[in-house]
Amino acid sequence: AQKITQTQPGMFVQEKEAVTLDCTYDTSDPSYGLFWYKQPSSGEMIFLIYQGSYDQQNATEGRYSLNFQKARKSANLVISASQLGDSAMYFCAMREVTGNQFYFGTGTSLTVIP
Amino acid sequence: DAGVIQSPRHEVTEMGQEVTLRCKPISGHDYLFWYRQTMMRGLELLIYFNNNVPIDDSGMPEDRFSAKMPNASFSTLKIQPSEPRDSAVYFCASRDDRGSSYNEQFFGPGTRLTVL
């Protein structure tokens, strides 16, 4: 079974609008961390935001927030007030405390339309 | 901190040649990971090290691939002989071990390998 599932291969959003990128995960570990990375066309992987499984509040970092629904095992990334520079691939990832590796999803390509 | 450093950034070689990719992790990080990214297979973990020791190399595609970490500040990924299907972007990443799940991986800029 896939550890991380991103069901949206591509998304479009109008500049200044908000967009939600979906991510669901699968684990039986009670303790885990969820991460989002951004990969612009230049290729580097940029860490955006983290959510711990025991965190009571949804994580926020500037225009990024993570909509964490533990019972549904979802960790959607919300980007508010989209900018042209947000056009990129976005990867959801998970690390279980009992393991060391990260599991990455297949990514969502976001295009911001002027 | 300069971040994770990889070299070369681009490599073009001919089938059958040996290719060596290099990585310098962030100082103080205990873990080092090698990934391969292709359009078809996405981001794949090849191998990772903890304190310079290879822990899991189950993602290494075949015997043509080998990785070493002779010290805490240097790792290599070698492909010998290279094949066109090895063309991909190879990322190195590192993280420290604070004993919690909050240890984001810091990625290097990647090496874009093209095997003709």
Side-chain angles (χ1 to χ4, degrees):
Chain A
Q2 292 284 346
K3 289 279 190 180
I4 295 287
T5 302
Q6 294 181 254
T7 58
Q8 306 155 313
M11 290 280 287
F12 292 86
V13 63
Q14 204 75 37
E15 193 177 8
K16 300 181 184 177
E17 298 292 311
V19 63
T20 298
L21 307 184
D22 294 342
C23 172
T24 58
Y25 59 91
D26 181 30
T27 181
S28 56
D29 238 343
S31 182
Y32 50 89
L34 297 158
F35 304 78
W36 277 90
Y37 285 82
K38 172 185 179 182
Q39 186 177 39
S41 58
S42 51
E44 70 268 34
M45 294 283 281
I46 303 166
F47 166 72
L48 294 178
I49 194 168
Y50 161 84
Q51 179 84 43
S53 58
Y54 291 118
D55 292 344
Q56 295 296 314
Q57 292 188 324
N58 287 341
T60 60
E61 288 287 347
R63 294 186 299 110
Y64 304 109
S65 61
L66 204 152
N67 184 0
F68 181 46
Q69 297 187 45
K70 196 169 183 176
R72 292 186 175 185
K73 293 189 174 179
S74 75
N76 300 337
L77 177 70
V78 181
I79 305 174
S80 62
S82 297
Q83 301 172 356
L84 295 178
D86 294 333
S87 293
M89 282 289 288
Y90 289 81
F91 292 92
C92 180
M94 175 180 67
R95 182 198 162 211
E96 297 160 326
V97 169
T98 54
N100 290 306
Q101 67 170 300
F102 275 41
Y103 299 96
F104 283 87
T106 51
T108 295
S109 176
L110 176 67
T111 302
V112 180
I113 303 166
Chain B
D1 198 327
V4 177
I5 299 172
Q6 290 187 249
S7 65
R9 294 293 307 277
H10 301 271
E11 177 80 28
V12 180
T13 190
E14 291 187 348
M15 182 174 62
Q17 297 296 308
E18 177 180 295
V19 175
T20 299
L21 311 181
R22 297 173 177 80
C23 175
K24 176 179 168 54
I26 292 172
S27 177
H29 280 191
D30 306 285
Y31 285 86
L32 183 141
F33 302 81
W34 282 101
Y35 291 90
R36 178 172 68 176
Q37 186 178 36
T38 60
M39 288 293 292
M40 291 297 294
R41 301 175 69 91
L43 200 60
E44 303 173 275
L45 176 65
L46 299 177
I47 185 172
Y48 76 90
F49 295 82
N50 178 218
N51 292 322
N52 314 337
V53 177
I55 303 299
D56 185 352
D57 65 354
S58 59
M60 296 285 261
E62 47 199 275
D63 292 345
R64 298 184 296 105
F65 285 70
S66 62
K68 294 181 179 179
M69 192 164 186
N71 57 61
S73 60
F74 183 66
S75 177
T76 59
L77 177 68
K78 187 175 293 187
I79 308 172
Q80 166 63 18
S82 58
E83 296 182 2
R85 59 192 168 122
D86 301 330
S87 297
V89 179
Y90 291 81
F91 286 102
C92 176
S94 71
R95 69 170 178 86
D96 63 23
D97 185 13
R98 283 172 278 174
S100 77
S101 62
Y102 180 52
N103 303 93
E104 79 266 28
Q105 290 188 358
F106 294 86
F107 282 80
T111 295
R112 182 174 295 276
L113 173 65
T114 302
V115 183
L116 303 174

